[in-house]
């Protein structure tokens, strides 16, 4: 899920398939991990969060998995729809430092083919 | 309920000009934030305000100032714009301690020539 230079990693999936978006985070002390969705021309929108003492959390059509051993976070979207096309950002939060502000990753672009 | 509103939506400045980006929220949130987003990048925090009357620097504060005018409004000022400040600026509210959800405005696309 991390970008290189100006080009976002892109995930292209067929409508109806499941999508898995990955993210590597940097701070093993982070308390929470959060996923945001940003549609073209809009501000980011909160999807789901997970506390660091959990390894899985489910929402509506989305599941977030956390692997603290390798500092890896993933967002799974079930039955991907055209409306899921967007850039997805992971973010981490450490209440013990930086006033608990969010640190965003660089994003992954999800493209859904009809 | 408008959520978070930002003005203007677009702005073109010449190097050295100044301007203020306005942000307002109607959700009664204590915390407000200013981010910048550059192509292919995530959001970087410029300044934040944990509550009315307080402001603090984020990751990239140089070249910017902020004012928390009241609980609803949080403005970002560029005193002397530089081409490196060409970016999309997002204001957000919410996401205070114990709350991971921030609500973002639609953004201001700023170009500095």
């Amino acid at each position: 899920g991390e970008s290189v230079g100006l080009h976002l990693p892109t995930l292209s999936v067929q409508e109806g398939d499941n999508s898995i978006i990955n993210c590597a985070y940097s701070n093993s002390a982070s308390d929470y991990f959060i996923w945001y969705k940003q549609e073209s021309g809009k501000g980011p929108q909160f999807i789901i969060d997970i506390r660091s003492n959990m390894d899985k959390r489910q929402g509506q059509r989305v599941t977030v998995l956390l692997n603290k051993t390798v500092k890896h976070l993933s967002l799974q979207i079930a039955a991907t729809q055209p409306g899921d096309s967007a850039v997805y950002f992971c973010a981490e939060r450490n209440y013990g430092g930086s006033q608990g502000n969010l640190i965003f990753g660089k994003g992954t672009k999800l493209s859904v083919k009809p | 309920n408008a959520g978070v509103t930002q003005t203007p939506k677009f702005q073109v400045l010449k190097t050295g000009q100044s301007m203020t980006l306005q942000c307002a929220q109607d959700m009664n949130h204590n915390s407000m934030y200013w981010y910048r987003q550059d192509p292919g990048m995530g959001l970087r925090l410029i300044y934040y305000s944990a509550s009315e009357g307080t402001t603090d620097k984020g990751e990239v504060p140089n070249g910017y100032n902020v004012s928390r005018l009241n609980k609803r409004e949080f403005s970002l000022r560029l005193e002397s714009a530089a081409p490196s400040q060409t970016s999309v600026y997002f204001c957000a509210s919410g996401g205070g301690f114990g709350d991971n959800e921030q609500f973002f405005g639609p953004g201001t696309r700023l170009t500095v020539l």
Side-chain angles (χ1 to χ4, degrees):
Chain A
E2 297 299 323
S3 67
V4 177
L6 298 178
H7 302 289
L8 287 174
T10 299
L11 176 65
S12 186
V13 300
Q14 203 71 38
E15 181 179 359
D17 288 351
N18 296 334
S19 303
I20 300 176
I21 301 169
N22 296 305
C23 175
Y25 63 90
S26 57
N27 187 354
S28 57
S30 291
D31 301 292
Y32 278 93
F33 302 90
I34 307 107
W35 282 99
Y36 278 82
K37 171 187 180 182
Q38 186 177 26
E39 296 175 88
S40 181
K42 296 184 178 180
Q45 182 180 14
F46 174 90
I47 302 173
I48 191 169
D49 61 3
I50 186 169
R51 193 169 179 170
S52 60
N53 63 354
M54 300 171 66
D55 52 21
K56 181 178 181 179
R57 188 173 186 209
Q58 289 185 291
Q60 187 176 9
R61 275 200 313 119
V62 295
T63 301
V64 56
L65 299 177
L66 176 63
N67 184 333
K68 292 183 287 294
T69 302
V70 295
K71 293 195 282 189
H72 183 268
L73 186 68
S74 69
L75 178 71
Q76 300 179 1
I77 304 173
T80 313
Q81 302 167 0
D84 295 326
S85 293
V87 176
Y88 289 80
F89 293 97
C90 62
E92 55 188 299
R93 188 168 206 176
N94 177 5
Y95 283 106
S98 301
Q99 306 291 323
N101 291 322
L102 297 179
I103 306 297
F104 285 86
K106 294 183 174 65
T108 297
K109 183 176 182 179
L110 176 65
S111 178
V112 182
K113 295 176 287 187
Chain B
N1 214 354
V4 179
T5 58
Q6 292 183 236
T7 55
K9 284 188 167 51
F10 300 94
Q11 184 72 48
V12 178
L13 294 177
K14 294 181 180 178
T15 297
Q17 287 185 315
S18 62
M19 79 161 295
T20 299
L21 282 65
Q22 307 286 354
C23 173
Q25 53 98 3
D26 61 3
M27 295 173 282
N28 202 36
H29 288 147
N30 288 317
S31 299
M32 297 187 72
Y33 308 83
W34 276 105
Y35 293 90
R36 62 177 287 173
Q37 185 175 36
D38 300 302
M41 302 284 286
L43 290 91
R44 291 184 292 169
L45 184 65
I46 304 171
Y47 270 94
Y48 66 99
S49 171
S51 61
E52 185 179 354
T54 69
T55 61
D56 285 286
K57 295 178 180 179
E59 181 186 354
V60 288
N62 291 346
Y64 306 94
N65 285 300
V66 290
S67 296
R68 183 75 182 266
L69 304 169
N70 47 56
K71 193 170 187 178
R72 290 187 64 249
E73 298 172 290
F74 188 37
S75 63
L76 178 72
R77 182 160 177 84
L78 287 71
E79 290 291 352
S80 179
S84 61
Q85 294 178 304
T86 294
S87 190
V88 181
Y89 291 85
F90 288 100
C91 176
S93 73
F97 190 87
D99 179 5
N100 291 319
E101 183 172 5
Q102 293 184 10
F103 295 83
F104 284 80
T108 294
R109 187 174 293 275
L110 175 67
T111 300
V112 183
L113 302 175

